[in-house]
Amino acid sequence: MEKLKEYAIGSSDLTYDLIERILNDGTHLVLSDEAIAKIKHCREFLDRKTDENTVPIYGVTTGFGSLCSKHISSDELSKLQENLVKSHSCSVGTPVDRTVVKLMLLLKAHALSKGFSGVQVETVQRILDFYNNDVLPVVYDRGSLGASGDLAPLANLFLPLIGEGLVEYKGKVIKGSEALNIMGWRPIRLKSKEGLALLNGTQFMSANGIKALIDGWHLVNCFDLFGAISLEAFDGRIEPFWDCIQQVRPHQGQIDTGRVFRSLLKGSEIIARPKEHVQDPYSFRCIPQVHGAVKDAMRHVTDVLHIEINSVTDNPTVFPDDDLVVSGGNFHGEPIALVFDYMGVALSELGNISERRVAQLIDGLRGLPEFLVAKPGLNSGFMIPQYAAASMVSQNKMYAWPASCDSIVSSNGQEDLVSMGANAATKLHKIIANLKYIAGIELMNAAQGIEFRRPLKSSPYIESVLKAYREVVPFVEDDVVMADYIADTMKFLENFEVKIPVDPEI
């Protein structure tokens, strides 16, 4: 596919796969003409509205949160917005991943481009300038309740627009003011409502969710492939993957998983040979049902997140054509908090079933030696990688506990029910980090186990994967420093992409 050199913000809806392409291709972002017209139209309406100043408008001519009854004079409206960004910049902890910061900038620019937020064109353009020039504000991973949007991390994100805060530029962390000087940019002078438009919104939650979604779908494919290799190593049966059994319980994910495994295993001598056993343990036999359920969950999360990232989530919402400025709750993170928790539970289950397959492979069953080495006893072989996988599976159960079950009252009771969606989003990365290791450990064990089925061969695609893997990690004859082999496996997986064979007859 040809690289996407330029993308016009506001020209189309965003999807996670389009975003992945924008990130991977180093795409330059511009504002579409349509977006510029919408932003100007809304800003001009809001300027007229504030000039009239006949009735208080929340966050425009009043204070914020529980200070909403405090009136602000017209000559202090800009200072009000600047003060908001400074005072709310309370995200703390560990700096978030560069990719998440870029996603936050992209998603905020996209939301503001819809023309319901009352911002200046130059403010949105500056956000894109930061993105395009890799001037990435330093944002920390804790501090958002996912209530009035992601107030604290978004404040840190936009401090550099007004010459404050920190940015990462060319590998160094520098002051926002210094970055503006280097780039020859003036600080943005925020107009009425702009600070609130920048800070209200769900872009911290959504950015973390999009990154987790991209990583999560990749892991779904990895666990399908490594599960198929494990099935071969365990001398498992193909019947549970036949289409007829999926069609009488037609969950889409289950149907898809059966098809994927039939495609992966087509042409395998191992799967085709007669079996002495009549059925396999659940961790093999129920892969269509378990992996399939995870896929259905991921599809639901994807649908919800697509709605979210193409929505207006700041407050108040400005409707210039209807002469309305409406204070509502579109910034509340509940819709995505719930599905992030759902995704965490679903992805964790991939690790659960994977670790069980690993345990079956090392138990000395079906002609495999104990711990997958020829001289068990003298050698411990693959005994302890399963320990490591079990540890991470257990930790993921802890991370899978839903954050959205909690709420803590804030802002003097004005924000009396919060979503905790930011915590739901950020812990997804911890689950995924563990899953990557669990997937690597299954690949190690499955590749080792399949060598004991030689000279029989698996399918052409699986054999090509194993050949590439063996160039990095060799077969284990005697005990080795397993940490090195795990590390090498992880390096192999860093640039590995699963390519399921497409066969219309499967």
Side-chain angles (χ1 to χ4, degrees):
M1 183 183 295
E2 187 177 344
K3 278 195 172 185
L4 183 63
K5 295 179 180 179
E6 185 176 275
Y7 176 76
I9 295 290
S11 62
S12 68
D13 278 353
L14 291 173
T15 61
Y16 88 91
D17 45 349
L18 172 59
I19 291 172
E20 183 178 18
R21 189 179 173 197
I22 289 171
L23 291 172
N24 290 341
D25 290 353
T27 303
H28 184 82
L29 302 181
V30 298
L31 271 177
S32 67
D33 292 341
E34 181 183 6
I36 291 172
K38 287 179 178 179
I39 295 167
K40 283 183 176 179
H41 179 54
C42 188
R43 183 66 236 178
E44 288 167 359
F45 164 78
L46 193 61
D47 283 340
R48 292 194 301 271
K49 204 74 175 171
T50 51
D51 288 344
E52 295 169 4
N53 202 20
T54 54
V55 294
I57 304 173
Y58 170 74
V60 180
T61 60
T62 74
F64 310 105
S66 62
L67 300 175
C68 60
S69 61
K70 304 293 184 182
H71 179 75
I72 308 298
S73 63
S74 58
D75 60 339
E76 293 180 312
L77 295 184
S78 180
K79 187 64 175 177
L80 172 70
Q81 301 302 316
E82 183 180 315
N83 285 347
L84 176 72
V85 179
K86 291 179 180 178
S87 66
H88 284 46
S89 57
C90 296
S91 71
V92 298
T94 304
V96 301
D97 184 87
R98 285 172 50 88
T99 300
V100 172
V101 175
K102 297 203 77 166
L103 285 170
M104 291 171 72
L105 294 169
L106 166 61
L107 296 179
K108 177 57 82 172
H110 180 70
L112 297 178
S113 76
K114 294 185 173 294
F116 295 98
S117 301
V119 295
Q120 303 173 86
V121 171
E122 66 177 300
T123 302
V124 186
Q125 183 57 58
R126 182 55 49 78
I127 293 171
L128 297 185
D129 291 339
F130 273 75
Y131 180 99
N132 289 328
N133 291 279
D134 274 335
V135 180
L136 301 182
V138 176
V139 180
Y140 303 95
D141 63 348
R142 276 154 276 180
S144 173
L145 296 174
S148 292
D150 294 304
L151 292 171
L154 287 175
N156 281 94
L157 183 73
F158 293 120
L159 276 174
L161 264 67
I162 60 172
E164 300 287 349
L166 300 172
V167 302
E168 182 189 335
Y169 180 62
K170 293 187 175 180
K172 294 182 179 180
V173 175
I174 59 176
K175 291 182 177 180
S177 56
E178 184 181 348
L180 295 185
N181 288 334
I182 291 171
M183 303 305 296
W185 299 333
R186 292 181 180 179
I188 296 292
R189 187 176 185 274
L190 298 175
K191 298 184 74 172
S192 62
K193 207 266 183 185
E194 283 201 284
L196 201 56
L198 294 172
L199 271 56
N200 275 170
T202 61
Q203 285 76 36
F204 177 75
M205 289 180 277
S206 296
N208 280 283
I210 287 291
K211 185 176 189 306
L213 202 60
I214 292 169
D215 292 343
W217 275 117
H218 177 66
L219 279 166
V220 166
N221 293 330
C222 282
F223 279 109
D224 273 356
L225 173 59
F226 303 158
I229 301 173
S230 290
L231 184 71
E232 292 279 76
F234 198 64
D235 197 25
R237 302 187 67 99
I238 192 62
E239 290 87 345
F241 301 90
W242 284 354
D243 191 50
C244 58
I245 192 171
Q246 323 311 331
Q247 293 299 334
V248 295
R249 194 195 191 194
H251 294 290
Q252 189 60 50
Q254 181 175 331
I255 293 170
D256 293 345
T257 303
R259 183 183 301 114
V260 165
F261 271 69
R262 294 194 306 276
S263 298
L264 287 170
L265 296 169
K266 185 177 181 181
S268 167
E269 296 172 352
I270 300 172
I271 203 73
R273 77 172 184 170
K275 313 293 182 186
E276 295 181 3
H277 43 277
V278 297
Q279 63 176 212
D280 297 322
Y282 286 3
S283 56
F284 295 97
R285 191 180 1 144
C286 298
I287 287 175
Q289 291 73 23
V290 177
H291 286 209
V294 173
K295 291 170 188 172
D296 288 338
M298 290 288 287
R299 286 194 185 96
H300 176 61
V301 176
T302 301
D303 290 343
V304 171
L305 200 48
H306 281 171
I307 292 172
E308 186 71 13
I309 64 176
N310 292 294
S311 298
V312 178
T313 57
D314 64 292
N315 183 62
T317 310
V318 183
F319 298 92
D321 294 338
D322 300 310
D323 191 24
L324 290 173
V325 181
V326 181
S327 182
N330 274 359
F331 47 50
H332 203 285
E334 196 74 12
I336 49 177
L338 293 173
V339 296
F340 289 159
D341 283 334
Y342 187 23
M343 176 158 58
V345 171
L347 289 175
S348 294
E349 197 67 1
L350 285 178
N352 282 353
I353 194 171
S354 171
E355 183 275 330
R356 288 293 81 204
R357 290 193 292 263
V358 168
Q360 292 284 355
L361 289 174
I362 64 173
D363 276 353
L365 304 172
R366 298 190 178 177
L368 295 174
E370 283 187 279
F371 305 118
L372 298 176
V373 284
K375 299 176 183 176
L378 175 62
N379 293 300
S380 294
F382 285 74
M383 178 191 294
I384 305 303
Q386 182 266 333
Y387 272 50
S391 170
M392 290 180 284
V393 165
S394 179
Q395 192 176 63
N396 275 357
K397 292 174 185 177
M398 177 181 70
Y399 291 143
W401 184 261
S404 57
C405 288
D406 189 30
S407 177
I408 296 177
V409 178
S410 62
S411 192
N412 282 6
Q414 186 78 351
E415 299 170 15
D416 57 346
L417 181 77
V418 303
S419 75
M420 297 300 180
N423 291 341
T426 54
K427 68 187 177 71
L428 285 172
H429 304 310
K430 297 179 180 180
I431 291 171
I432 286 167
N434 280 338
L435 285 175
K436 288 178 180 178
Y437 278 108
I438 295 167
I441 288 170
E442 178 166 16
L443 174 59
M444 286 177 64
N445 280 264
Q448 180 78 4
I450 214 167
E451 297 298 337
F452 293 99
R453 304 299 176 194
R454 300 304 185 198
L456 295 177
K457 290 186 177 181
S458 185
S459 68
Y461 177 67
I462 287 178
E463 289 293 344
S464 70
V465 171
L466 292 173
K467 181 181 178 183
Y469 178 61
R470 281 288 173 246
E471 292 174 0
V472 178
V473 177
F475 176 76
V476 176
E477 294 278 0
D478 298 297
D479 279 348
V480 296
V481 178
M482 274 294 186
D484 293 342
Y485 280 24
I486 292 174
D488 290 341
T489 299
M490 300 312 294
K491 289 178 183 176
F492 173 78
L493 293 181
E494 279 179 10
N495 299 309
F496 178 71
E497 182 181 357
V498 178
K499 297 179 180 178
I500 307 296
V502 177
D503 189 334
E505 296 182 3
I506 291 295

